Amino acid sequence: MTSDSFARSHQHPGLEQVALNTCCLFLATCTYWLLFLILLFFSINSQAQDSAWFDVKPGSHYQTRFLLTNDIPSDQQSTLRELLQKHLSIHEAMQNPRMNESEWRRLVQKTPQEIADLLATEGYFKTKTTVYQPATQLAEFHLTLPQQAKVNKVNVAITGEIQLAEHQSTLEAAQKSWPLPVNSRFTQQAWSSAKRELLATLLRAEFPNAKITRSQALVNPQTQAVFIQLAVDSGPAVRFGQVRIHGLQHYKESMVRPLNTLKTGAPYRQADLLTLQNSFMSSGKFRSVDVTARTESLNADQTADIDVTVNELEQNTVRIGVGASTNTGARIVFNYTDRNLFDRGLLWDSSLRLEQRLQAATSNITFLTDEKGFRDSIQNSVIRTDLEGQTTTALQNGVRRYWGQPNLFEQYVGANLLYEFLTVDGEESQFNKAATLAYGLNMRRLDHPLAPTKGWILNTQFQLAPLDKLSDGRFLQSQARLQAFYPLTQSTQWLGRIEVGAVTGARSVPATYLFRAGGDQSVRGYAFQSLGVKEADAIVGGRVLLTGSTEIVQWLTSSWGAAMFVDFGNAANSWKDYDPVLGYGLGARWRSPIGPVGVDIAHGQETGEYRLHFNLGVNF
């Protein structure tokens, strides 16, 4: 390099400075835009997370808005939203037209603590709430929820006499009943329910004085892990003592004493107390029955005396009722009841029933339960029906003996004498008679006596005419009916029914013991007892019967539901001639205070007709 060139390079220092400044400006610009993009990303992300959850604006003045800054499961969102909407003080006050600005500000400041307290009941401990007020009458609450608490460890100790070997099964049942195991979600409702269920297992058994001596749920705020400690003292094992009856006015205690189903010295069971109450109520003599066990003041031998307090019904009652059914038409019913016939404690129930297609006069005398648990009755009736071209007048006199529990497992035997006058359109009138012996079995396993959702009912009956001299011929009638109820989901229920019957023996069997089908409790879509054997201008009974039904009920609310069903069945003279028909349709269901009510529109496939059917209660 020459000296001239060296000199020229020192004469222009601004060129290098410009280049350096340009590089710095470029780097600064890039850094600025990078920071801008990062801030924009977090801003968008924050806005996405702080999205509006729900608003409450009952009027035109004040409004609350809730936003979540983190994600929680959708099912939990709906639960928490309902909790905050219903139970925050600010929402109740917003509906008050006298709300003022001062009270509004006070409630806004108070709300974050209420939110934390409410969400803690659902297992969200230490919820953080930030309050914003974009406008004077608008309050925004930004919620940051922790992870929902879960059970990490469970220590349940049950002490007392339940530790003895003879109570081992009860102890194991109580331990297995604990419904809040490790890794389950912890909520206040689940925690309270778990304690109640464990304690109820002991209270229902022979430990009515069981109590919780220690109850603690420790929450780790960092991990949201819950440590459960529970101690239960079973107390002494209790047995039944003496049963004392109070409130009798018209009956001697010796009359109703056989209604007692408890045995002195037997292990205490809550279910046995309910059986005792049902025994008194089913006698038909009492308006109410209250059963109380003196478990807090045990006798020296650790037995608890039982107090039965009764409220008697009126001795004599007269009732008149009117109504209608899609089976037998409009009706009027006269009923007379004497609950202390001949001052012997006999229950006499008599009625006169007048309907368009059925008229009946009935009398039923029921004896009090005896020392062996038998319940006897005398039944007399005259029933006239006019259906599908056949007119039948049946005079019956019979006796029956029942035993067992009416709502669980009941049996009966009986004898009956029937005289029947039969007229079929296009044929001569007939006179039939039959003396029969009967056996029946009724079983029920239902979760509710009036409106069951799960369980089954089985009714069977056998009637035998063994003597030719007292009957037009020897025969055996067999009949069985099974109903089932099952919940498919929490709001969807399935109902099923099947009924089968057969008559074997003599050809000349009274029409009363033959089978016909059709109607509300049979095959819907067909008239009452319109399915059977064609004879002359009428439909008469057949010797075999098979009907069935399947139904789905979707409950739209706690009381109202919609139903879809398919029925099938028929009656015939033999299984070879049996030809089932179909009926199907839609209906509405209502859970009324006196039992389920159903209204159906059914289509009979064989006739092509639509029919309206109405049902009240469960047909037992």
Side-chain angles (χ1 to χ4, degrees), residues 241-356:
Q242 299 296 320
V243 176
R244 299 183 175 90
I245 303 174
H246 311 278
L248 293 176
Q249 297 180 5
H250 300 92
Y251 309 105
K252 297 179 181 178
E253 184 171 329
S254 59
M255 292 182 181
V256 300
R257 174 60 62 175
L259 296 175
N260 174 30
T261 57
L262 301 182
K263 295 182 179 179
T264 301
Y268 175 94
R269 294 284 190 278
Q270 278 190 355
D272 293 341
L273 296 179
L274 181 60
T275 300
L276 173 64
Q277 184 182 41
N278 290 337
S279 176
F280 274 79
M281 286 297 296
S282 62
S283 67
K285 300 183 181 302
F286 307 110
R287 179 177 290 104
S288 63
V289 178
D290 183 39
V291 177
T292 305
R294 297 185 181 182
T295 56
E296 296 181 357
S297 55
L298 299 179
N299 300 320
D301 57 355
Q302 292 188 350
T303 59
D305 292 336
I306 310 301
D307 291 324
V308 179
T309 304
V310 299
N311 182 11
E312 294 181 1
L313 288 165
E314 295 82 359
Q315 294 292 285
N316 303 284
T317 57
V318 177
R319 298 189 303 274
I320 301 176
V322 296
S325 72
T326 50
N327 280 344
T328 52
R331 66 175 176 270
I332 181 170
V333 181
F334 303 90
N335 180 272
Y336 174 75
T337 301
D338 187 337
R339 295 180 175 84
N340 195 13
L341 186 64
F342 307 132
D343 291 327
R344 301 295 300 272
L346 304 180
L347 175 64
W348 180 34
D349 194 3
S350 57
S351 67
L352 177 63
R353 188 183 188 95
L354 304 176
E355 301 187 49
Q356 289 177 280

Side-chain angles (χ1 to χ4, degrees), residues 599-619:
V599 178
D600 298 319
I601 297 179
H603 176 70
Q605 189 177 48
E606 186 74 12
T607 62
E609 298 178 348
Y610 289 89
R611 301 191 68 87
L612 178 67
H613 297 275
F614 176 80
N615 290 291
L616 173 60
V618 177
N619 186 27

